[in-house]
Amino acid sequence: MQDTKIDLLIAEMRKLSAAIERIAGPAPAVNDWDAAECFVWSPQRLHLQPVSKPNRVELKLIQSVDHVRDILFDNTLRFAQGFPANNVLLWGARGMGKSSLVKAVHASVSADAGIRLKLVEVHREDIATLPTLMEILKAAPVPVIVFCDDLSFDHDDTSYKSLKAVLDGGIEGRPANVLLYATSNRRHLLPRHMMENEQSTAINPSEAVEEKVSLSDRFGLWLGFYKCSQDDYLAMIDGYAAHFGLEADPKQLHADALEWSTTRGARSGRVAWQFIQDLAGRSQKKIDLV
């Protein structure tokens, strides 16, 4: 009889412990900063998932964006060395290497300067958890770039307010060892029709627009990317082909590359890379990334 009461008591204690854990949420996982150079934020587990082989290309292969490349590299290098640097918004034409440039610059600064610099990717749907991530990152023994690719916000999406507080304006502020880089096709991160709707329905239209636009204003650097010319597109093709040892007659290579871009309806770094992958596949050659 006594053993039965003890068993019931133990079962009740286990239920109580499980209930407390559900209320308190998951305990932060132990993050190993030596596990990788790049990580992906997993808010459900409060964990930084190491990425053993990041998807990126060498910095020298990203062409036709020399000016913004140099600005981003210098800003990143200053930050890695412990000097003041700005949060960066890379915006503009799709497929022109915005996210590729962020990853390539991170790799180049880490290698060239020999500095432990980490890159943490945050998915768009996890933006609201940024304050929690900041709590973890401020204790990191290394400088960290938080990267959000293809960032934008739609109507009735209020998660942008979490990003605003992290960028600038929160009572605690952004940790000194953390910088935020984001890419977007939209200069102000919001669709134009959304801003126009806010303006037409608000009591004070200008205030409604200012509330939305102030998000992009909190990035210290805006780096614009624009559609490339035919010459720039062919220069990308030549650079990729030479780097990966894809031998082909230059005139035929250019003709095939232009035909490829015509079928895609665009000329961009992404289209050039897709053509090179097709060419390598047809040539039965492997492409090794960094």
Side-chain angles (χ1 to χ4, degrees):
M1 186 67 177
Q2 186 68 22
D3 291 342
T4 302
K5 289 183 178 180
I6 293 175
D7 291 340
L8 290 173
L9 180 60
I10 292 175
E12 289 299 323
M13 291 178 65
R14 287 174 177 171
K15 290 180 181 178
L16 179 60
S17 177
I20 292 174
E21 288 181 1
R22 286 195 298 270
I23 294 173
V30 177
N31 295 302
D32 182 5
W33 292 105
D34 294 324
E37 295 180 355
C38 303
F39 301 81
V40 175
W41 168 234
S42 176
Q44 293 78 16
R45 300 170 53 213
L46 300 182
H47 179 57
L48 298 171
Q49 181 66 38
V51 179
S52 58
K53 191 173 182 180
N55 177 29
R56 62 192 180 194
V57 298
E58 292 186 40
L59 185 60
K60 64 182 181 180
L61 292 178
I62 302 176
Q63 301 188 23
S64 303
V65 290
D66 296 0
H67 180 61
V68 294
R69 177 201 62 201
D70 293 343
I71 293 175
L72 186 66
F73 183 91
D74 290 342
N75 189 72
T76 306
L77 181 60
R78 288 197 301 269
F79 170 66
Q81 293 173 336
F83 299 112
N86 275 301
N87 300 311
V88 183
L89 173 63
L90 300 88
W91 68 275
R94 67 184 189 277
M96 282 305 297
K98 298 184 291 294
S99 59
S100 295
L101 185 60
V102 171
K103 292 180 286 187
V105 163
H106 164 258
S108 183
V109 168
S110 298
D112 295 348
I115 299 174
R116 293 180 67 205
L117 174 65
K118 305 300 180 179
L119 184 68
V120 175
E121 182 176 12
V122 177
H123 293 146
R124 161 65 189 83
E125 58 271 21
D126 296 326
I127 287 296
T129 67
L130 273 177
T132 302
L133 176 59
M134 292 299 114
E135 281 295 314
I136 295 174
L137 295 184
K138 71 180 182 181
V142 291
V144 181
I145 294 175
V146 174
F147 171 50
C148 186
D149 189 25
D150 198 20
L151 182 63
S152 62
F153 299 93
D154 295 319
H155 187 58
D156 293 332
D157 186 348
T158 59
S159 61
Y160 73 91
K161 294 183 179 180
S162 297
L163 179 57
K164 285 177 64 175
V166 169
L167 285 169
D168 182 26
I171 190 170
E172 186 175 9
R174 170 174 52 85
N177 66 322
V178 177
L179 211 58
L180 284 96
Y181 286 3
T183 69
S184 178
N185 294 333
R186 302 166 178 169
R187 183 173 184 176
H188 293 295
L189 303 175
L190 303 162
R192 179 170 295 275
H193 72 81
M194 179 177 172
M195 296 170 62
E196 291 172 347
N197 288 343
E198 291 282 352
Q199 192 170 17
S200 64
T201 58
I203 296 175
N204 190 327
S206 61
E207 288 184 357
V209 174
E210 286 294 324
E211 167 70 10
K212 305 295 184 182
V213 173
S214 65
L215 171 59
S216 56
D217 282 347
R218 300 190 183 206
F219 288 92
L221 282 177
W222 288 4
L223 302 181
F225 290 69
Y226 305 94
K227 294 180 179 180
C228 65
S229 66
Q230 179 172 299
D231 289 341
D232 289 337
Y233 171 71
L234 293 177
M236 295 175 190
I237 296 294
D238 291 338
Y240 281 133
H243 181 77
F244 295 114
L246 301 175
E247 298 178 1
D249 176 69
K251 290 185 178 180
Q252 187 61 47
L253 177 66
H254 287 184
D256 292 343
L258 292 174
E259 181 181 357
W260 181 274
S261 68
T262 301
T263 62
R264 298 301 179 277
R267 290 191 299 264
S268 68
R270 179 179 295 135
V271 172
W273 176 244
Q274 291 168 346
F275 171 76
I276 288 297
Q277 290 186 93
D278 181 76
L279 177 62
R282 287 187 282 108
S283 303
Q284 296 186 344
K285 287 193 174 183
K286 293 185 178 181
I287 291 179
D288 294 323
L289 301 178
V290 294

